[in-house]
Amino acid sequence: MSAPPVYLDAATAAPLHPVARQALLAALDDGWADPAKLYARARRARQLLDAAREATAQTLGVRPDELSFTPGGTAAAHSAVLGGLAGRRRAGDTLVHSAIEHSAV
């Protein structure tokens, strides 16, 4: 029997895992600041973000620096396309896709 699918998209029809819900509530209560800034609340937001990245990376069996969080599917699709093009820069700047790709692509 195969493992159940893992949904990492907040817009899916699956309910949040209890641990994910707890992390989300903590972020809403305590991590609302911009994690790129240096003031105290922002540093706390950075700590929460780094902890979430570490835990997710460990669960997925990857390094934290190999993991990117995006605000949604469109941003994820854009990152995938741009990353694919950057990785094949020497081969050219053309991207071929099918007519049934998501409109974000």
Side-chain angles (χ1 to χ4, degrees):
M1 179 177 234
S2 64
V6 176
Y7 296 99
L8 300 176
D9 182 353
T12 65
L16 282 176
H17 186 281
V19 175
R21 184 178 186 282
Q22 182 181 10
L24 175 61
L25 292 175
L28 291 173
D29 290 342
D30 202 26
W32 48 264
D34 181 352
K37 303 296 182 190
L38 297 177
Y39 57 94
R41 289 289 198 175
R43 288 194 310 269
R44 177 63 182 145
R46 170 54 64 184
Q47 289 174 333
L48 289 168
L49 178 59
D50 289 346
R53 185 181 316 281
E54 185 74 35
T56 303
Q58 184 176 4
T59 299
L60 296 174
V62 300
R63 294 188 329 252
D65 65 331
E66 296 175 316
L67 182 65
S68 295
F69 291 138
T70 62
T74 299
H78 289 176
S79 292
V81 169
L82 293 174
L85 287 172
R88 296 191 40 84
R89 184 171 294 132
R90 288 183 286 151
D93 60 358
T94 302
L95 171 70
V96 177
H97 65 87
S98 74
I100 61 168
E101 292 295 337
H102 189 278
S103 61
V105 174

